[in-house]
Amino acid sequence: MWYVILLAGGSGARMGAGCNKVLLELQGEPVICRAARAFSGVVDGMVVVARKEDQQAIQAALEASHAFAGKLHVVTGGATRQDSVWNGLQALPADADKVLIHDGARCLVDEATIRRAMEAVERCGSGVAAIQAVDTIKQVDESWQVTGTPDRATLRAVQTPQAFTVDLIRRAHLSAQAEGFQGTDDASLVERLGQSVQLTEGSRRNIKLTTPEDIAMAEAMLQELPALPSLRVGQGYDVHRLVEGRDLILCGVNIPHTLGLLGHSDADVALHALMDAMLGATALGDIGKHFPDTDERYRGISSMKLLEHVVALLAENHHRVTNADVTIVAQKPKLLPHIPQMRQNVADALGLPLNRVNVKATTTERLAFEGREEGISAQAVCMVQDI
Ligand code: MG
């Protein structure tokens, strides 16, 4: 299992912001959330190392932004960067066998850079992001007298992520601790073990935010990227079983029928599909996450109530639905007479005019479970606007 250790323990003194620099915002998103988001699709879990006084704020920012979907642990940093990495390594769960170590302040890291480092670990146990040196580097003495000029072609500027097998980097840290060695990066500890370290291509954009000028540079780089449109699309799908002795409720309308839908709530399959479309468009998960069927509060609850909750959740996250289209797949009963009330219910809940909401019904020509009247399915698509 791949884990990432995000280092967020600095005091940010050189930034002069009066707070941990990873909590500063870039285009409205905290630095630590941007960094976490870069790893979200590639690792199974994350350990964030932060000072005690920042832990709550960092945890809250990550949870509020849904930046990271995997397992998340926030642990306390040490006196030095190396100590902080060690605390992060100690906090890795037993199933972690490969780890990326990354500066939380390098929030412009891209997924390709991360994947190159990971691939090198699979091949040879280490993968460390680095770029060609563009400046000529001089060696100097204490009075800045030049003592040498290494050949630039042999020099690389090292970044993070630095990726290793957990076994290798743990051994390197233990050995450095035993010798009282403090390195400025993790690769140097592995080098001291006598193990070769593989560099991989990093990125010039992968800068470490250290001074206020870096923030300005990062903002400028982000503006270069084409802005994402403020419209998102989402889709939802749901199925419920038809049984005797239950009401049939679709889009909040109680429809006379010999069978009804079985479920923990009122089993309004159409609204469930719609809510999943809304949560899907906004990357807020699904209704199972927000209204678990193990929660007694939702037993028999009207799905119109759940829909109100999802509308409020979207508003809290600065989104609103601009239109919705729901398709109900049922062999029986005839739904056409009930469609106007269904549309009205959905439009009212979404705060939309009627001409922004469509509800339609179809049969499957007696094919499949809907055709055999074993259940009813529904699909929904909606457009969501950032507000
Ligand atoms: Mg459902």
Side-chain angles (χ1 to χ4, degrees):
M1 288 257 200
W2 271 102
Y3 274 71
V4 59
I5 296 174
L6 266 192
L7 300 171
S11 66
R14 277 180 286 174
M15 191 62 82
C19 70
N20 188 327
K21 62 188 172 185
V22 301
L23 290 167
L24 294 176
E25 291 191 355
L26 272 183
Q27 291 196 340
E29 184 178 15
V31 164
I32 190 70
C33 297
R34 276 189 180 274
R37 198 152 49 78
F39 289 88
S40 191
V42 284
V43 299
D44 304 296
M46 173 177 295
V47 174
V48 179
V49 189
R51 293 185 306 172
K52 225 177 186 57
E53 57 266 43
D54 294 329
Q55 284 181 6
Q56 220 176 353
I58 286 173
Q59 180 116 26
L62 285 168
E63 280 171 7
S65 74
H66 303 274
F68 187 72
K71 294 176 226 162
L72 172 69
H73 309 272
V74 180
V75 300
T76 309
T80 64
R81 182 190 186 282
Q82 195 168 310
D83 295 340
S84 290
V85 173
W86 177 248
N87 289 359
L89 289 171
Q90 294 294 85
L92 289 177
D95 61 3
D97 56 350
K98 282 158 281 188
V99 65
L100 292 136
I101 299 163
H102 188 67
D103 298 320
R106 288 189 195 266
C107 66
L108 298 184
V109 66
D110 57 279
E111 198 175 304
T113 294
I114 297 168
R115 287 198 185 276
R116 283 192 289 269
M118 293 167 77
E119 280 159 20
V121 171
E122 305 289 356
R123 281 198 318 273
C124 52
S126 63
V128 171
I131 52 173
Q132 294 259 5
V134 285
D135 297 320
T136 296
I137 309 286
K138 300 285 185 192
Q139 277 174 331
V140 294
D141 62 18
E142 311 85 76
S143 63
W144 284 43
Q145 284 266 335
V146 173
T147 57
T149 306
D151 178 5
R152 193 173 61 184
T154 68
L155 295 177
R156 300 291 180 274
V158 167
Q159 307 178 327
T160 66
Q162 302 200 351
F164 309 94
T165 61
V166 169
D167 174 59
L168 175 62
I169 193 64
R170 276 211 178 113
R171 276 193 289 124
H173 271 261
L174 284 170
S175 162
Q177 285 165 19
E179 294 170 13
F181 174 76
Q182 283 285 333
T184 52
D185 74 342
D186 295 282
S188 59
L189 310 190
V190 175
E191 293 157 43
R192 282 176 65 86
L193 277 186
Q195 300 270 337
S196 68
V197 169
Q198 180 64 53
L199 299 189
T200 57
E201 190 68 37
S203 163
R204 298 218 164 270
R205 303 175 70 93
N206 183 19
I207 59 171
K208 186 171 177 182
L209 304 179
T210 309
T211 64
E213 292 79 16
D214 297 332
I215 294 279
M217 214 182 320
E219 288 276 7
M221 281 199 276
L222 286 172
Q223 270 162 18
E224 269 172 39
L225 296 172
L228 292 170
S230 61
L231 288 173
R232 300 139 172 260
V233 68
Q235 71 92 28
Y237 172 72
D238 196 24
V239 174
H240 281 263
R241 185 182 287 277
L242 277 168
V243 294
E244 289 180 351
R246 291 268 304 182
D247 287 340
L248 175 61
I249 298 167
L250 294 169
C251 291
V253 180
N254 198 328
I255 296 166
H257 190 44
T258 51
L259 303 172
L261 291 173
L262 182 65
H264 185 67
S265 64
D266 65 356
D268 188 330
V269 68
L271 292 188
H272 292 188
L274 175 62
M275 287 186 274
D276 267 352
M278 294 163 68
L279 295 169
T282 50
L284 289 170
D286 60 23
I287 54 172
K289 172 180 163 185
H290 294 279
F291 314 114
D293 62 11
T294 49
D295 192 326
E296 280 305 308
R297 279 180 302 168
Y298 304 124
R299 182 174 291 284
I301 195 171
S302 161
S303 296
M304 289 299 296
K305 283 255 172 283
L306 304 182
L307 178 59
E308 276 171 31
H309 186 94
V310 173
V311 169
L313 185 67
L314 260 64
E316 265 169 46
N317 285 276
H318 309 286
H319 304 297
R320 69 162 182 188
V321 174
T322 64
N323 79 299
D325 184 15
V326 180
T327 302
I328 301 166
V329 185
Q331 192 64 43
K332 276 186 187 165
K334 272 260 168 282
L335 296 178
L336 195 61
H338 306 285
I339 296 272
Q341 188 60 53
M342 292 189 202
R343 282 178 73 199
Q344 190 68 55
N345 287 353
V346 172
D348 288 349
L350 298 181
L352 288 176
L354 259 187
N355 66 2
R356 293 271 174 162
V357 174
N358 196 56
V359 177
K360 51 200 187 302
T362 183
T363 71
T364 53
E365 305 281 348
R366 301 209 161 273
L367 294 168
F369 65 85
E370 297 101 327
R372 294 190 297 269
E373 297 176 53
E374 292 166 6
I376 292 180
S377 69
Q379 302 185 28
V381 175
C382 70
M383 184 76 88
V384 171
Q385 182 181 28
D386 297 346
I387 49 173

